[in-house]
Amino acid sequence: MKIDDVEVIPISSTRPKGEGIGDARGFGRTRATTLLRVETDTEAVGWGEAFAPGRIVKATFEELFRDVVIGMDPFDVESLADNSYTDPYHFAGNVFSQSVVSAVDVACWDIIGKTVGRPVHRLLGGEECRTLTPYASTMYFTETNQPIENSIQAAVDEGFTAAKIKIGTGLDEDIERVRVAREGLGDDATLMVDMNGNYRPRQAIKTAKAIEQYDITWIEEPVPPENESGYREVKRHVDTPIAAGEAHYGRFAFKRLIDDRTVDIVQPNLGRCGGFSEARLIADMATTENVAVRPHIWNSAVGLAAAVQFAASVSRYPHARNVPEPMMVEFDRSENPLRTDILETPFDPSGGVLDVPQKPGLGIEVDEAAVERYRVD
């Protein structure tokens, strides 16, 4: 089996003016990502996602990877991430190269699964896994200043038992947003907060201490991703677990997070961390150091499918028969047609349960006509 063709497909969806959503760093109205459609000489097709702008993905693939990938046996996929660090040596260590590697890698695993008749999570060494626990990624900052309790109530109405909200714009507003979220979710629900790296360490520490009373499961990106000393400072002064990884890529960046337990939870995004091959290495490093793994997802439905398959494969170590905390999967609750419209059967997180696809590969059927509607090249 050989790869015959790779099609780079930028897709995008834009909300009306004034209806942007955002985090502590600002607002945005456009959701965009890049799909890769990989076809083999046996007519097997695999899908992957590069969580990066389409024109850059296309140029990077054409310049650095086309000659390597075309003619490659998809079963050799695990060599791709390794080789990307050494050839092209000077260009591999950037987010755009790793995003391309991620998309090709995921598409190859999709093809492998379809070829052997197994879902990817079983190929990665995971036990049979039927369901995961979704958490609502919600309470975004909005341009229209909607009542903040509305989005939490919507998540509760859908049956979510866990949620992550946006904070990071100042102590008083942070406290109020967390208070409202906890009140809406109830005392027994799981609540996380995301600062999106908008704070200096002392600012993050001050907010973290102020919201401890609301039983926060983790604080995500309290400081910028490159500020590793800042992460260590926050961790020294805060009892709440610290999570990071959405803005990191490749095993070496994650190794720095895991070493000396700089964070308590790593969050690889399957659209930029290097795909399944690197994510599996990242998970192995993390579980070896007893660091938790929870994938980050703010992608299209293809990236979501990859994250679900990966999450289903992650070791439960150090837990045995009793698992105190379930594996949770992020489920963005903002309006996103790239998540809801491009699959024949969209993912359904309602009722607090997310089914893990059991069909071969990623376990999804991409609606190619819908993909064309959102195509922007």
Side-chain angles (χ1 to χ4, degrees):
M1 179 186 291
K2 302 293 182 185
I3 293 174
D4 256 357
D5 187 48
V6 175
E7 186 176 9
V8 179
I9 309 172
I11 56 175
S12 177
S13 174
T14 301
R15 296 170 63 87
K17 188 175 181 179
E19 294 187 17
I21 62 167
D23 52 39
R25 291 179 174 269
F27 298 106
R29 291 190 298 118
T30 299
R31 299 292 292 269
T33 190
T34 307
L35 302 182
L36 257 66
R37 184 184 185 277
V38 176
E39 188 170 348
T40 71
D41 56 3
T42 65
E43 298 185 353
V45 172
W47 289 87
E49 178 175 347
F51 194 41
R55 283 183 292 182
I56 299 176
V57 170
K58 187 168 186 177
T60 302
F61 177 76
E62 294 292 338
E63 186 68 28
L64 301 180
F65 294 103
R66 174 171 283 279
D67 290 345
V68 175
V69 172
I70 299 299
M72 184 180 97
D73 184 339
F75 283 81
D76 292 338
V77 64
E78 291 185 86
S79 66
L80 182 65
D82 274 348
N83 292 342
S84 75
Y85 291 118
T86 56
D87 184 17
Y89 173 63
H90 291 291
F91 306 107
N94 68 74
V95 66
F96 301 119
S97 292
Q98 290 302 316
S99 295
V100 172
V101 169
S102 299
V104 175
D105 183 276
V106 167
C108 285
W109 280 100
D110 189 23
I111 290 168
I112 293 169
K114 290 171 179 175
T115 302
V116 303
R118 303 275 276 180
V120 169
H121 74 272
R122 299 305 305 275
L123 299 179
L124 296 175
E127 300 174 355
E128 182 180 43
C129 179
R130 293 282 173 176
T131 62
L132 296 168
T133 299
Y135 68 86
S137 192
T138 188
M139 200 185 274
Y140 297 97
F141 293 96
T142 62
E143 290 184 300
T144 54
N145 293 318
Q146 300 172 11
I148 58 177
E149 62 269 21
N150 287 3
S151 56
I152 281 293
Q153 187 58 52
V156 171
D157 291 345
E158 285 185 285
F160 282 94
T161 59
K164 181 177 72 181
I165 68 168
K166 299 294 186 180
I167 65 171
T169 56
L171 179 64
D172 291 342
E173 186 172 12
D174 288 348
I175 294 171
E176 177 62 9
R177 290 176 72 82
V178 173
R179 184 195 68 78
V180 169
R182 175 52 75 195
E183 184 175 287
L185 288 168
D187 292 340
D188 295 333
T190 302
L191 175 61
M192 292 76 72
V193 299
D194 188 356
M195 298 178 180
N196 284 107
N198 198 45
Y199 279 153
R200 296 187 178 94
R202 289 186 181 276
Q203 294 169 319
I205 291 166
K206 194 171 184 179
T207 283
K209 289 183 176 294
I211 63 175
E212 276 183 352
Q213 60 182 306
Y214 296 105
D215 188 21
I216 306 301
T217 296
W218 76 62
I219 297 171
E220 190 166 316
E221 288 197 320
V223 294
E226 60 273 12
N227 185 200
E228 292 173 16
S229 64
Y231 273 102
R232 289 190 288 271
E233 182 178 350
V234 172
K235 198 165 183 302
R236 280 197 302 270
H237 295 280
V238 172
D239 290 333
T240 305
I242 305 300
E246 70 172 270
H248 294 78
Y249 43 90
R251 75 187 77 158
F252 302 106
F254 279 90
K255 185 177 186 300
R256 291 192 292 273
L257 290 178
I258 293 164
D259 283 351
D260 301 321
R261 296 188 63 90
T262 302
V263 298
D264 303 283
I265 301 149
V266 290
Q267 300 172 296
N269 185 304
L270 273 291
R272 64 169 31 158
C273 76
F276 288 122
S277 299
E278 285 289 90
R280 181 162 63 172
L281 290 170
I282 291 163
D284 287 345
M285 286 191 294
T287 54
T288 299
E289 291 296 327
N290 215 356
V291 170
V293 182
R294 299 289 184 267
H296 170 266
I297 309 145
W298 216 64
N299 311 40
S300 78
V302 173
L304 172 59
V308 168
Q309 291 289 342
F310 169 66
S313 78
V314 174
S315 167
R316 293 180 298 182
Y317 177 87
H319 310 310
R321 294 179 180 85
N322 299 311
V323 181
E325 297 177 349
M327 168 58 75
M328 291 193 296
V329 174
E330 182 170 15
F331 209 101
D332 167 32
R333 298 319 293 139
S334 68
E335 182 181 337
N336 181 11
L338 308 184
R339 184 190 65 249
T340 57
D341 293 3
I342 68 169
L343 296 186
E344 297 288 352
T345 304
F347 284 92
D348 179 7
S350 61
V353 174
L354 186 64
D355 290 334
V356 177
Q358 302 297 310
K359 293 180 180 178
L362 293 178
I364 57 174
E365 294 291 337
V366 174
D367 183 339
E368 297 195 41
V371 169
E372 287 300 314
R373 289 201 301 273
Y374 294 104
R375 190 166 184 158
V376 291
D377 59 351

